[in-house]
Amino acid sequence: MTFTVPIDNGDSVKIAEEESQRTLYPYVTGTSIVAIKYKDGVLMASDMGGSYGSTLRYKNIERVKAIGKHSLLGASGEISDFQEILRYLDELTLNDNMWDDGNSLGPKEIHNYLTRVMYNRRNKFDPLWNTLVLGGVKNGKSYLGMVSMIGVSFEDDHVATGFGNHLARPILRDEWHADLSFEDGVKLLEKCMRVLLYRDRSAINKLQIAKITEEGVTVSQPYSLKTFWEFSSFHNPTAGAEGSW
Amino acid sequence: MSQSIVDVSAKAGFSFDLCKRNEMLTQKGLKAPSFLKTGTTIVGLIFKDGVILGADTRATEGPIVADKNCEKIHYMAPNIYCCGTAADTEAVTDMVSSQLRLHRYETGRDSRVITALTLLKKHLFSYQGHVSAALVLGGVDITGPHLHTIDPNGLTETLPFATMGSGSLAAMSVFEAKYKEGLTRDEGIKLVAEAICSGIFNDLGSGSNVDICVITKGNKEYLRNYMEPNPRTYVSSKGYSFTKKTEVLLTKITPLLERVEITEVGEAMEE
């Protein structure tokens, strides 16, 4: 919208009102992230898909990244906003390193920073369209928390975003317990990711599991899960109703 | 006889006269009636010898729990049961159940599950989704065990395991993780109970107890309140004490009905 303002000497100058820049809807999105605390730290699983509406456009997106020495950030939602958040965190960790005081940002601090960023953006009606999962280990204590795009933030022993809330959370509530071993933790995460693969339309069968312990971060190579489609009902779905489909 | 100028609508196809009437009424200010949804978890699975259906027992009216222990598994035929989500399902299930009984008298045979399925699907489709009944229909007939789901729009699916309702994702995650073919009766019941409990504890629209119905060839078991994972744990041991100002004036018990024993045996009705 533009309007003209008459100035003293009679000339008019067009001053353009700033076009509002608001995020109205996400474009390229990642689906759920599932994360759990285990004996030595935190495990986080995500698939590598980026959907553009209903097309699976990108199949090689890493949605879990290491932040500093002590944290792991996973994001679902708009991928470009996730990349923006990574830039903010880069700046943050860089400035922290420049103090050169032997201290480094732990997961709790990064979680707090992200909560502030997300909440402030939401108050300006220009949210970063992501749900973030922050996991990490510092001084032997593991930490796992979540921030949503409107700034809702909390800490828990197991978290899931998006569809994972409905499909993975029930399994985690039943079967998670403290001091899981690494193998059990991975098995539990794979169980959740398999259900998501069956029932979430934007999930793909290419996932990564990231692990963070006191020693550091390891992100696994992408791999796929075995699925089972050989139910006898599927072979002959019209067994009882001849002629239907 | 005068010639009819008005075009009489053909018997086939949809008649939208009532839609016009509804529009006219809403324009005049009539609020359309809202419906009582029950937010639910209903599941079914096929095991080695038949079908197991399960349901929670909470009926909600918006945010309030209207009935803590309602029955969501409805009888359709001696060998067919149907779980439903909302209030509309009671009416639809009753109607189809009576149609099935008449059909049984007509044919002299046991009802088949696809007969119930077709009757339900025809009815729901003709109402284009406005009859909000989502059903899990299961039974064992001469052709074997069958399990179907029916959407309010009339879409049906034939599945080895199925969940419907607001708690369907929680229950489906249990099924997808743990279902195998050829389960025994006990394994099947345990899995159904686990799926319903997952709905009860993870979905706000479902709660209270678990109902289970096991249907096998020639036999059915309706296990009402098979599991009660939400007992009332705190009951005051002191009972209820009234304040001093309250006085009990009179205690009188009036029986409402008098039981009358009929000793004479009448003649049997003629066939």
Side-chain angles (χ1 to χ4, degrees):
Chain A
M1 203 175 95
T2 64
F3 42 81
T4 54
V5 172
I7 298 186
D8 285 338
N9 60 4
D11 288 341
S12 57
V13 174
K14 283 205 183 71
I15 298 177
E17 195 178 74
E18 271 174 38
E19 296 289 328
S20 60
Q21 303 274 349
R22 297 171 185 191
T23 309
L24 294 172
Y25 22 73
Y27 288 94
V28 181
T29 53
T31 179
S32 352
I33 302 247
V34 187
I36 55 174
K37 274 193 203 171
Y38 78 112
K39 192 166 53 125
D40 308 320
V42 172
L43 283 169
M44 203 179 288
S46 81
D47 68 14
M48 299 191 73
S51 318
Y52 186 61
S54 53
T55 5
L56 247 175
R57 180 91 183 270
Y58 303 104
K59 297 197 194 175
N60 208 13
I61 299 193
E62 280 197 28
R63 296 190 291 119
V64 180
K65 293 281 187 186
I67 312 287
K69 286 186 283 193
H70 302 283
S71 320
L72 205 54
L73 175 67
S76 70
E78 173 63 62
I79 300 294
S80 61
D81 283 345
F82 176 50
Q83 292 171 343
E84 184 75 358
I85 289 172
L86 289 175
R87 270 193 45 229
Y88 287 161
L89 287 173
D90 259 348
E91 229 182 281
L92 184 75
T93 41
L94 191 72
N95 282 328
D96 185 61
N97 272 338
M98 290 204 293
W99 285 103
D100 203 18
D101 57 3
N103 262 330
S104 51
L105 287 170
K108 220 184 193 117
E109 288 88 61
I110 308 237
H111 188 213
N112 189 45
Y113 173 78
L114 288 172
T115 312
R116 292 291 103 225
V117 167
M118 300 300 268
Y119 184 66
N120 276 297
R121 287 292 292 258
R122 160 257 184 156
N123 284 341
K124 294 190 218 150
F125 282 93
D126 183 19
L128 289 160
W129 209 285
N130 291 111
T131 310
L132 305 168
V133 176
L134 207 301
V137 185
K138 192 172 180 203
N139 296 336
K141 293 203 26 212
S142 354
Y143 183 90
L144 181 59
M146 203 163 112
V147 194
S148 82
M149 79 184 215
I150 51 175
V152 176
S153 116
F154 57 90
E155 230 196 290
D156 207 345
D157 293 325
H158 46 78
V159 296
T161 67
F163 247 97
N165 262 314
H166 297 107
L167 290 170
R169 223 64 200 296
I171 301 180
L172 293 172
R173 279 182 180 162
D174 242 359
E175 301 190 11
W176 183 91
H177 57 86
D179 296 327
L180 282 163
S181 70
F182 175 69
E183 289 79 25
D184 285 340
V186 170
K187 257 216 234 59
L188 184 58
L189 280 180
E190 285 187 346
K191 199 178 205 172
C192 298
M193 295 305 280
R194 187 172 291 115
V195 178
L196 284 167
L197 181 61
Y198 284 137
R199 293 283 160 176
D200 179 4
R201 82 160 184 188
S202 27
I204 58 169
N205 199 0
K206 185 177 176 190
L207 65 142
Q208 283 185 309
I209 297 202
K211 166 177 84 144
I212 181 164
T213 59
E214 193 71 49
E215 282 90 51
V217 175
T218 337
V219 181
S220 76
Q221 287 290 64
Y223 67 104
S224 61
L225 293 170
K226 271 221 212 39
T227 55
F228 181 73
W229 297 92
E230 305 302 317
F231 290 121
S232 57
S233 279
F234 292 174
H235 282 298
N236 190 10
T238 60
E242 305 308 325
S244 70
W245 59 91
Chain B
M1 250 200 351
S2 60
Q3 245 188 1
S4 55
I5 310 160
V6 179
D7 200 28
V8 178
S9 57
K11 287 292 179 185
F14 298 122
S15 159
F16 291 98
D17 300 334
L18 286 178
C19 295
K20 285 199 217 139
R21 163 220 180 234
N22 289 343
E23 250 184 76
M24 186 262 298
L25 284 172
T26 37
Q27 271 172 10
K28 292 219 171 133
L30 173 73
K31 248 179 50 171
S34 69
F35 41 85
L36 169 67
K37 265 188 88 163
T38 58
T40 286
T41 310
I42 47 175
V43 307
L45 63 72
I46 296 195
F47 73 109
K48 202 160 46 119
D49 309 317
V51 176
I52 306 180
L53 299 172
D56 73 310
T57 59
R58 173 183 283 186
T60 51
E61 227 173 270
I64 304 174
V65 177
D67 188 350
K68 289 189 283 187
N69 207 1
C70 72
E71 280 190 27
K72 295 190 194 177
I73 304 187
H74 307 295
Y75 167 91
M76 295 279 263
N79 56 332
I80 308 175
Y81 273 75
C82 185
C83 312
T85 53
D88 279 336
T89 54
E90 282 254 19
V92 171
T93 334
D94 278 348
M95 182 195 79
V96 174
S97 157
S98 42
Q99 284 179 350
L100 283 177
R101 179 173 265 206
L102 290 170
H103 193 248
R104 276 204 296 285
Y105 290 149
E106 178 86 35
T107 57
R109 293 185 173 93
D110 283 339
S111 304
R112 298 194 187 193
V113 182
I114 34 159
T115 320
L117 181 72
T118 314
L119 289 168
L120 283 164
K121 155 207 293 247
K122 268 177 61 173
H123 180 81
L124 290 177
F125 178 73
S126 66
Y127 282 90
Q128 290 288 294
H130 289 288
V131 174
S132 56
L135 309 162
V136 172
L137 174 73
V140 180
D141 57 32
I142 192 80
T143 55
H146 297 286
L147 179 68
H148 302 280
T149 62
I150 307 157
D151 269 16
N153 288 301
L155 162 72
T156 59
E157 290 183 293
T158 312
L159 297 164
F161 55 90
T163 66
M164 296 287 263
S166 56
S168 64
L169 284 101
M172 185 52 88
S173 69
V174 171
F175 274 168
E176 285 284 15
K178 299 191 180 162
Y179 179 79
K180 305 190 305 281
E181 294 203 288
L183 291 165
T184 64
R185 180 180 179 277
D186 290 328
E187 287 172 345
I189 291 183
K190 188 159 158 290
L191 188 58
V192 167
E194 233 184 287
I196 300 284
C197 282
S198 174
I200 287 176
F201 291 117
N202 291 302
D203 173 47
L204 296 175
S206 317
S208 300
N209 312 315
V210 180
D211 280 353
I212 292 199
C213 185
V214 184
I215 310 172
T216 51
K217 194 177 167 71
N219 184 33
K220 64 157 191 296
E221 263 180 82
Y222 186 61
L223 303 165
R224 167 79 172 144
N225 286 357
Y226 171 77
M227 227 165 108
E228 296 184 345
N230 291 302
R232 191 170 170 207
T233 44
Y234 177 71
V235 183
S236 166
S237 53
K238 287 187 282 187
Y240 292 102
S241 59
F242 297 104
T243 56
K244 290 220 178 81
K245 297 222 180 80
T246 322
E247 258 182 58
V248 179
L249 291 174
L250 172 67
T251 312
K252 177 172 176 221
I253 301 172
T254 317
L256 292 170
L257 272 180
E258 280 200 19
R259 292 212 75 166
V260 177
E261 292 291 338
I262 303 172
T263 45
E264 290 172 42
V265 178
E267 276 184 1
M269 238 171 69
E270 279 197 7
E271 289 248 341

